[in-house]
Protein backbone atom coordinates (compact mmCIF):
# COMPACT_ATOMS: atom_id res chain seq x y z
CA UNK A 1 0.00 0.00 0.00
CA UNK A 2 2.72 2.42 1.04
CA UNK A 3 4.76 1.51 -2.06
CA UNK A 4 1.75 2.21 -4.29
CA UNK A 5 1.23 5.54 -2.55
CA UNK A 6 4.85 6.60 -3.04
CA UNK A 7 4.79 5.47 -6.66
CA UNK A 8 1.65 7.52 -7.22
CA UNK A 9 3.15 10.54 -5.44
CA UNK A 10 6.33 10.24 -7.51
CA UNK A 11 4.36 10.01 -10.77
CA UNK A 12 2.22 13.00 -9.79
CA UNK A 13 5.32 15.09 -9.03
CA UNK A 14 7.10 13.97 -12.16
CA UNK A 15 4.10 14.58 -14.42
CA UNK A 16 3.65 18.10 -13.05
CA UNK A 17 7.03 19.13 -14.48
CA UNK A 18 6.83 21.24 -17.62
CA UNK A 19 8.80 19.52 -20.35
CA UNK A 20 8.12 22.05 -23.08
CA UNK A 21 11.01 23.57 -25.01
CA UNK A 22 11.98 24.62 -28.49
CA UNK A 23 12.47 21.63 -30.79
CA UNK A 24 16.01 20.34 -30.58
CA UNK A 25 18.34 20.84 -33.51
CA UNK A 26 18.43 17.80 -35.77
CA UNK A 27 21.50 19.08 -37.58
CA UNK A 28 24.54 21.16 -36.65
CA UNK A 29 23.28 24.19 -38.56
CA UNK A 30 20.49 25.25 -40.86
CA UNK A 31 21.63 28.43 -42.57
CA UNK A 32 18.63 30.37 -43.85
CA UNK A 33 18.09 30.07 -47.59
CA UNK A 34 16.25 33.26 -48.50
CA UNK A 35 15.98 32.24 -52.15
CA UNK A 36 14.09 29.05 -51.32
CA UNK A 37 10.56 28.73 -52.71
CA UNK A 38 9.71 26.33 -49.90
CA UNK A 39 7.54 28.06 -47.31
CA UNK A 40 8.08 26.65 -43.84
CA UNK A 41 7.73 28.08 -40.34
CA UNK A 42 10.98 30.05 -40.51
CA UNK A 43 13.46 29.63 -43.33
CA UNK A 44 14.41 26.51 -45.26
CA UNK A 45 18.02 25.33 -44.89
CA UNK A 46 20.63 26.29 -47.45
CA UNK A 47 22.48 23.32 -48.98
CA UNK A 48 25.20 22.63 -46.32
CA UNK A 49 27.78 22.31 -49.15
CA UNK A 50 27.25 25.97 -50.07
CA UNK A 51 27.51 27.35 -46.51
CA UNK A 52 30.30 29.91 -46.08
CA UNK A 53 31.92 31.57 -43.06
CA UNK A 54 30.11 34.83 -43.87
CA UNK A 55 26.78 33.11 -43.11
CA UNK A 56 27.79 33.28 -39.42
CA UNK A 57 29.33 36.75 -39.32
CA UNK A 58 28.07 40.24 -38.65
CA UNK A 59 30.13 43.35 -38.14
CA UNK A 60 29.27 46.93 -37.30
CA UNK A 61 27.84 46.44 -33.81
CA UNK A 62 30.64 48.56 -32.36
CA UNK A 63 29.11 51.64 -34.02
CA UNK A 64 26.28 53.67 -32.51
CA UNK A 65 23.02 53.97 -34.45
CA UNK A 66 21.49 57.29 -35.47
CA UNK A 67 19.81 58.71 -32.36
CA UNK A 68 18.59 61.96 -33.90
CA UNK A 69 14.87 61.17 -33.78
CA UNK A 70 11.96 62.06 -31.47
CA UNK A 71 12.73 59.16 -29.11
CA UNK A 72 16.44 59.88 -28.91
CA UNK A 73 17.37 56.24 -29.40
CA UNK A 74 18.48 53.81 -32.07
CA UNK A 75 17.99 50.04 -32.18
CA UNK A 76 20.52 48.00 -34.17
CA UNK A 77 19.05 44.50 -34.42
CA UNK A 78 21.15 41.46 -35.24
CA UNK A 79 18.85 38.58 -36.08
CA UNK A 80 18.38 35.95 -38.79
CA UNK A 81 17.90 38.75 -41.32
CA UNK A 82 21.52 39.81 -40.64
CA UNK A 83 23.12 36.45 -39.78
CA UNK A 84 21.51 33.64 -41.82
CA UNK A 85 23.34 31.10 -39.61
CA UNK A 86 21.06 32.05 -36.68
CA UNK A 87 18.20 30.21 -38.38
CA UNK A 88 16.63 27.63 -36.00
CA UNK A 89 18.98 28.60 -33.15
CA UNK A 90 16.38 30.59 -31.19
CA UNK A 91 18.57 33.55 -30.32
CA UNK A 92 19.39 37.07 -31.48
CA UNK A 93 20.45 40.38 -29.99
CA UNK A 94 20.09 44.10 -30.36
CA UNK A 95 22.21 47.12 -29.52
CA UNK A 96 20.21 50.09 -28.26
CA UNK A 97 21.82 53.53 -28.17
CA UNK A 98 20.34 56.31 -26.09
CA UNK A 99 21.01 60.00 -26.60
CA UNK A 100 20.90 62.11 -23.42
CA UNK A 101 17.33 61.79 -22.05
CA UNK A 102 16.50 59.40 -24.86
CA UNK A 103 14.28 56.34 -24.48
CA UNK A 104 13.43 53.13 -26.25
CA UNK A 105 9.63 53.39 -26.22
CA UNK A 106 7.58 50.64 -24.49
CA UNK A 107 7.30 47.65 -26.79
CA UNK A 108 6.87 43.90 -26.85
CA UNK A 109 8.51 41.15 -28.88
CA UNK A 110 5.75 38.81 -30.08
CA UNK A 111 8.06 35.83 -30.62
CA UNK A 112 10.62 36.24 -27.85
CA UNK A 113 11.37 37.13 -24.29
CA UNK A 114 14.09 39.66 -23.76
CA UNK A 115 16.85 40.16 -21.25
CA UNK A 116 19.25 43.02 -20.90
CA UNK A 117 22.78 41.72 -20.64
CA UNK A 118 24.52 45.07 -20.43
CA UNK A 119 23.31 48.52 -19.63
CA UNK A 120 25.07 51.82 -19.07
CA UNK A 121 22.88 54.20 -17.12
CA UNK A 122 21.88 57.34 -18.92
CA UNK A 123 22.99 60.10 -16.58
CA UNK A 124 21.53 62.82 -18.78
CA UNK A 125 24.66 64.34 -20.23
CA UNK A 126 26.11 61.21 -21.84
CA UNK A 127 24.96 58.65 -24.33
CA UNK A 128 24.15 55.18 -23.05
CA UNK A 129 24.15 51.68 -24.53
CA UNK A 130 22.10 48.58 -23.78
CA UNK A 131 22.62 45.13 -25.25
CA UNK A 132 19.46 43.03 -25.32
CA UNK A 133 19.43 39.23 -25.70
CA UNK A 134 16.30 37.79 -27.31
CA UNK A 135 15.07 34.19 -27.30
CA UNK A 136 14.21 34.06 -31.00
CA UNK A 137 16.08 34.25 -34.27
CA UNK A 138 13.31 36.65 -35.41
CA UNK A 139 11.77 38.31 -32.34
CA UNK A 140 9.65 40.96 -34.10
CA UNK A 141 8.67 44.15 -32.32
CA UNK A 142 5.37 45.88 -31.56
CA UNK A 143 5.80 49.42 -30.24
CA UNK A 144 2.78 50.11 -28.05
CA UNK A 145 2.28 53.80 -28.94
CA UNK A 146 2.50 53.08 -32.69
CA UNK A 147 0.09 50.15 -32.44
CA UNK A 148 -2.46 52.12 -30.38
CA UNK A 149 -2.27 55.60 -31.94
CA UNK A 150 -0.69 54.99 -35.33
CA UNK A 151 -2.53 51.92 -36.59
CA UNK A 152 -3.91 51.82 -40.16
CA UNK A 153 -6.89 51.87 -40.25
CA UNK A 154 -6.92 53.96 -37.07
CA UNK A 155 -8.73 53.02 -33.89
CA UNK A 156 -11.73 55.32 -33.37
CA UNK A 157 -10.94 58.32 -31.14
CA UNK A 158 -14.18 57.56 -29.23
CA UNK A 159 -12.74 54.24 -28.17
CA UNK A 160 -9.29 55.59 -27.31
CA UNK A 161 -10.69 58.62 -25.44
CA UNK A 162 -12.68 56.29 -23.19
CA UNK A 163 -9.85 53.79 -22.80
CA UNK A 164 -7.32 56.45 -21.77
CA UNK A 165 -9.89 58.57 -19.89
CA UNK A 166 -9.10 61.77 -21.81
CA UNK A 167 -11.12 63.87 -24.25
CA UNK A 168 -11.12 63.16 -27.99
CA UNK A 169 -8.97 66.22 -28.75
CA UNK A 170 -6.14 64.75 -26.72
CA UNK A 171 -6.43 61.48 -28.66
CA UNK A 172 -6.56 63.31 -32.02
CA UNK A 173 -3.44 65.25 -31.04
CA UNK A 174 -1.52 62.06 -30.23
CA UNK A 175 -2.80 60.27 -33.37
CA UNK A 176 -1.57 63.20 -35.47
CA UNK A 177 2.03 62.49 -34.32
CA UNK A 178 2.07 59.21 -36.24
MN1 LIG B 1 13.15 45.03 -26.80
Amino acid sequence: MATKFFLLAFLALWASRALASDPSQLQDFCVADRTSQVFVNGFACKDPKTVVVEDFLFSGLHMAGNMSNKQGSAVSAVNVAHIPGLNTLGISLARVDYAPYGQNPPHIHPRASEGLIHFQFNTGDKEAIAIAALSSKNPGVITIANAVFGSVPSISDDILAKAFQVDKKAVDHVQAQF
Side-chain angles (χ1 to χ4, degrees):
M1 184 64 189
T3 318
K4 271 185 191 165
F5 173 78
F6 282 116
L7 183 65
L8 205 66
F10 173 76
L11 282 174
L13 279 172
W14 183 80
S16 71
R17 290 267 173 91
L19 298 171
S21 72
D22 280 352
S24 300
Q25 286 279 101
L26 298 177
Q27 62 255 322
D28 292 334
F29 52 80
C30 168
V31 173
D33 179 2
R34 292 202 199 86
T35 64
S36 173
Q37 293 302 301
V38 179
F39 297 100
V40 292
N41 183 17
F43 294 99
C45 304
K46 192 174 166 179
D47 180 346
K49 289 185 218 95
T50 67
V51 166
V52 290
V53 171
E54 286 71 28
D55 289 329
F56 298 90
L57 289 180
F58 177 84
S59 65
L61 211 58
H62 61 292
M63 291 183 292
N66 180 8
M67 295 164 272
S68 54
N69 52 58
K70 279 185 176 176
Q71 298 295 336
S73 68
V75 177
S76 306
V78 184
N79 54 46
V80 71
H82 312 88
I83 304 179
L86 283 181
N87 195 33
T88 74
L89 295 183
I91 195 164
S92 61
L93 65 82
R95 168 182 171 150
V96 189
D97 289 284
Y98 299 88
Y101 303 106
Q103 69 155 0
N104 186 11
H107 62 276
I108 57 167
H109 298 284
R111 291 178 291 277
S113 48
E114 178 173 30
L116 286 179
I117 53 177
H118 173 76
F119 189 84
Q120 288 176 1
F121 277 103
N122 192 346
T123 54
D125 57 341
K126 273 187 160 181
E127 289 165 2
I129 305 171
I131 302 292
L134 295 133
S135 66
S136 169
K137 67 181 177 184
N138 184 18
V141 65
I142 298 171
T143 302
I144 309 302
N146 302 25
V148 173
F149 295 103
S151 71
V152 180
S154 63
I155 301 172
S156 157
D157 55 2
D158 280 325
I159 305 274
L160 292 179
K162 235 177 205 169
F164 287 88
Q165 301 176 50
V166 294
D167 61 35
K168 281 203 272 180
K169 271 188 191 163
V171 170
D172 295 342
H173 177 71
V174 179
Q175 282 179 325
Q177 311 304 309
F178 293 90

